[in-house]
Amino acid sequence: MEEDKKFKISIAMAGAVSAGAYTAGAMDYLLETLSIWERAKQKNRALGEGHPDYDFSIPMHDVEIDVISGASAGGITGSLTLLNLVDQNFEHVNRDNPYGRNNRFYQGWVEMADDIQYTTFERMLFTDDLKKGEKPESLLNSASIDSIAESALHIKEVQHYPPYISNSLDLVLTTTNLRGVNFRIDFGGSAQGGTVITSHAGFFRYRLANENFPEGVPEDQNSLYYVLNLENPGDMGYLKNATLSTAAFPIGLKSREISIAGEYINRYPKYLFGQKKGITPLLPQGINYEFNSIDGGLINNEPFGIAMKINKEKNKELVKRDRYAVIMIDPFPNQDNSVAYVNPPRDILSILKGMFKALRNQVMFNQDGLLDALELSDRTKFLIAPVRKDISTGERVGAGKDLATAPLSGFAGFLDRSLRHHDYYLGRQNCQSFLRYYFAVTEENITQRLCCEPNEKARNRFVFNEIKGDENSARLFPIIPDLRQLDNKKDISDTANFGEDAKLQYQEFPKLSREKFIARYKNPAKKRIEVLINRFADNFWVTILNRLILRKKVYKFLEKTILKELEDTGLMK
């Protein structure tokens, strides 16, 4: 189909620690829905409208995913998406594949590094990374994260992108550059002639090699991306390092040493500032630029701005005509709508806490491309966020209790596979509802935005009212029709062909045994605490005090905190 008749989609995936399982489930369902729809369209095209088996209820417009951006856990899922799309052996999670055979999303986010002997969290408590005479690199052992990446970030047989993926798909992974890039702002009146500002926000941007994009750094000086050849072990290594970099949760997991082409960093200032005068980049010399990197979510945890910025670069005319949309998948969206203010305590600890919160919020407010995203037209910004209903009452659960992986700032999912499995399936269910009843254009704008006039049978099958049961509310038409649905308005699903996948149900919320939890993690946790303190202090008397008192005190505090959070969210029995 002609490029200017395709509806362009950008997907941004926020950081979420172990709740990346939710994001992965949502992405898996979205891609499977696109695949089912594409097969139906190809069948129609092969038959032709004059054939008696031509299905006029199939919408025939085309969409194309053009940008995928991710931070932290969202960045991991972005890399897994890229590989799943070109893997001939990839299989979706569904009723025929409930435990994710040949599926990087499920294997990476649900199975993780679990085996019959140890859970992923037990492995994160191993102490073999804490070398005597060396300061610890992280509170938790990161070897299990490396092993997950090693298993997921490889591919045996590469195929072309499916038709609903742009040939120039951009994968963008945010990172926090601890070295930073310096810029001198010119001022008059001093011998130095200006002051220096430093940017620590960065990103990796990749495309895959094909007939239009040769491997490596593009010759065009205005192009800020790297073209990967997945059959080249070196390029796969770049992708793996970038993925581990965006997911290097500060202090909890170890930072990553990154080396990128010097040419890439030389082009970065122009991307930030264009041809503006009065600002001079102070760039290092050399073939490669090296820096320590930590979690991309520290500075840009919801990278919808940069996704939209790149979309506008690539599709200026389509953006003007509203033939685009950006979807953000965010397990932990900020929903603080409060305008009330109460002066907090003014002691040192309270001020420090408030200071870090203010710095964090301001960094997020200044994220790259935010203004581009705020310029979007109506029904171009969409959010997939967790919603769970109690399976016994059918009622919406309390805020903060949707995700099983949410406690402990998103680290709870590392504790047990059942938590991650639940959230993966919640992501699938929530994405199903999103595609059917939210990701849509108004009926009067179908032709203008989707470049295709649907047949009356397609309208009858998929058009629905924005407010369920209110015939006077706006009539909407889905951008990505879910063909598991026979009648969107009446919510009639095609169970004959798709079984339980046609109408996904909420899963039972998992429960952990308090006794088994303590029995499994108490000794490994105490051991890691003890070794951590010894490596930090490296003092004989501290070692004695640690064994007698400190490790017990620290463990008791952590155990109490963890169990209380699990109980408060209904995860402990």
Side-chain angles (χ1 to χ4, degrees), residues 515-529:
E515 292 73 24
K516 289 182 179 178
F517 178 85
I518 294 173
R520 180 181 286 274
Y521 293 121
K522 180 177 181 179
N523 289 334
K526 287 175 68 176
K527 177 64 174 176
R528 184 157 184 94
I529 291 166

Side-chain angles (χ1 to χ4, degrees), residues 261-323:
E263 180 62 26
Y264 183 92
I265 207 70
N266 288 335
R267 297 178 187 183
Y268 187 61
K270 186 175 181 181
Y271 179 84
L272 286 182
F273 301 109
Q275 301 293 342
K276 291 182 175 65
K277 296 181 179 180
I279 184 161
T280 305
L282 306 175
L283 298 172
Q285 300 299 311
I287 297 175
N288 293 320
Y289 172 79
E290 297 176 347
F291 63 98
N292 279 335
S293 172
I294 58 174
D295 198 316
L298 181 68
I299 289 180
N300 189 352
N301 195 54
E302 297 173 328
F304 60 89
I306 192 170
M308 194 55 226
K309 183 174 183 176
I310 292 173
N311 181 49
K312 289 181 73 173
E313 289 174 11
K314 297 171 72 175
N315 306 297
K316 291 180 182 178
E317 291 305 314
L318 293 183
V319 169
K320 288 179 183 177
R321 289 178 280 175
D322 284 349
R323 292 176 184 166

Side-chain angles (χ1 to χ4, degrees), residues 220-289:
D220 178 9
Q221 293 295 311
N222 295 317
S223 297
L224 188 67
Y225 56 82
Y226 184 88
V227 181
L228 295 167
N229 175 5
L230 295 181
E231 295 177 346
N232 180 340
D235 281 7
M236 188 61 84
Y238 295 154
L239 180 62
K240 184 174 108 173
N241 288 337
T243 304
L244 290 171
S245 165
T246 192
F249 192 88
I251 302 175
L253 301 172
K254 72 177 183 180
S255 65
R256 301 288 170 169
E257 294 181 346
I258 298 296
S259 177
I260 60 176
E263 180 62 26
Y264 183 92
I265 207 70
N266 288 335
R267 297 178 187 183
Y268 187 61
K270 186 175 181 181
Y271 179 84
L272 286 182
F273 301 109
Q275 301 293 342
K276 291 182 175 65
K277 296 181 179 180
I279 184 161
T280 305
L282 306 175
L283 298 172
Q285 300 299 311
I287 297 175
N288 293 320
Y289 172 79

Side-chain angles (χ1 to χ4, degrees), residues 356-552:
F356 283 114
K357 179 182 179 182
L359 289 172
R360 168 73 170 161
N361 287 343
Q362 189 61 36
V363 162
M364 295 303 294
F365 188 82
N366 288 334
Q367 68 160 277
D368 188 29
L370 178 62
L371 292 180
D372 285 321
L374 296 181
E375 291 176 357
L376 303 186
S377 303
D378 186 36
R379 300 204 70 83
T380 56
K381 300 186 292 290
F382 297 88
L383 175 68
I384 302 178
V387 173
R388 180 173 69 89
K389 294 182 180 179
D390 188 284
I391 60 173
S392 59
T393 65
E395 297 296 320
R396 173 80 160 84
V397 301
K401 295 185 178 181
D402 300 291
L403 293 174
T405 57
L408 311 175
S409 300
F411 270 87
F414 292 118
L415 300 176
D416 195 87
R417 177 187 176 280
S418 65
L419 278 59
R420 306 187 297 266
H421 178 85
H422 171 275
D423 287 2
Y424 192 97
Y425 273 79
L426 183 65
R428 293 183 74 236
Q429 195 281 336
N430 283 184
C431 186
Q432 183 178 83
S433 296
F434 169 77
L435 294 178
R436 292 178 181 181
Y437 299 114
Y438 298 95
F439 191 48
V441 299
T442 56
E443 188 176 29
E444 59 268 24
N445 286 332
I446 295 175
T447 305
Q448 182 258 320
R449 295 193 63 189
L450 301 183
C451 270
C452 186
E453 180 63 32
N455 186 276
E456 192 63 25
K457 289 186 177 180
R459 286 178 182 268
N460 291 338
R461 180 176 179 180
F462 289 107
V463 166
F464 63 98
N465 289 102
E466 184 173 25
I467 302 174
K468 191 172 183 179
D470 183 355
E471 293 289 335
N472 295 318
S473 64
R475 286 166 58 86
L476 305 176
F477 187 82
I479 296 169
I480 299 177
D482 188 345
L483 298 192
R484 305 174 190 85
Q485 195 82 324
L486 293 174
D487 189 319
N488 231 21
K489 189 174 181 180
K490 296 179 180 178
D491 196 19
I492 300 174
S493 303
D494 187 0
T495 54
N497 288 310
F498 295 100
E500 61 191 43
D501 292 329
K503 185 68 175 176
L504 294 175
Q505 304 299 316
Y506 292 99
Q507 302 278 303
E508 185 174 350
F509 208 53
K511 298 281 186 181
L512 303 180
S513 163
R514 182 188 182 95
E515 292 73 24
K516 289 182 179 178
F517 178 85
I518 294 173
R520 180 181 286 274
Y521 293 121
K522 180 177 181 179
N523 289 334
K526 287 175 68 176
K527 177 64 174 176
R528 184 157 184 94
I529 291 166
E530 178 184 356
V531 179
L532 274 171
I533 294 173
N534 287 342
R535 297 295 178 264
F536 275 120
D538 196 20
N539 179 283
F540 172 78
W541 294 110
V542 172
T543 300
I544 298 298
L545 185 64
N546 184 16
R547 179 163 284 275
L548 294 176
I549 300 173
L550 291 180
R551 65 171 184 165
K552 295 178 183 177

Side-chain angles (χ1 to χ4, degrees), residues 80-91 102-104 152 154-162 208 230:
L80 298 181
T81 301
L82 183 75
L83 295 177
N84 285 335
L85 286 169
V86 294
D87 186 352
Q88 290 185 0
N89 300 312
F90 172 65
E91 299 179 47
N102 295 329
N103 185 302
R104 287 178 183 80
H154 76 280
I155 188 166
K156 292 181 179 178
E157 298 178 80
V158 178
Q159 65 180 4
H160 291 296
Y161 283 135
L208 290 191
L230 295 181

Side-chain angles (χ1 to χ4, degrees), residues 14 54 59 100 137 141 172 176 182 215 268 281 324 353 378 477 501:
Y54 186 95
E137 291 186 304
N141 190 321
V172 184
T176 300
N182 291 337
E215 177 183 357
Y268 187 61
Y324 71 97
K353 183 179 178 181
D378 186 36
F477 187 82
D501 292 329

